[in-house]
Amino acid sequence: MSSPLPLPQQFLSGAPLGTRVVVRYRIDGGLTDALGELVERADGVCTVRTRHSDVVIALPLVVAAKEVPPPPPRRARRVQGP
């Protein structure tokens, strides 16, 4: 009998793909966050598509995860005057 997954891993294992999430996970020297769309799940890992790249995160390294609201609309660029 396997033990239940900790809550952040349960959330990531059950959240629908496409959900906007923030995931805090362990890296060498501390912790970091990935903010973006949950795009894939495989054995023991999940992939979060951030603004810069796809981040593959091993579920055992996750210390916190939750759904977050959509990003605010981007501000229009200011036009420089003459």
Side-chain angles (χ1 to χ4, degrees):
M1 180 167 123
S2 64
S3 61
L5 290 172
L7 290 178
Q9 287 88 344
Q10 283 181 7
F11 167 73
L12 291 170
S13 295
L17 296 180
T19 301
R20 188 163 188 259
V21 297
V22 62
V23 180
R24 177 160 290 173
Y25 60 101
R26 291 183 191 88
I27 58 170
D28 288 342
L31 299 169
T32 192
D33 296 329
L35 171 66
E37 184 180 341
L38 181 63
V39 294
E40 191 174 351
R41 270 190 301 266
D43 276 347
V45 299
C46 69
T47 303
V48 176
R49 179 161 294 149
T50 71
R51 285 184 7 192
H52 302 289
S53 65
D54 285 1
V55 179
V56 179
I57 304 165
L59 291 178
L61 300 179
V62 173
V63 297
K66 66 179 183 178
E67 183 173 357
V68 294
R74 294 193 75 135
R75 294 175 61 179
R77 289 187 130 182
R78 294 180 69 186
V79 177
Q80 296 285 334

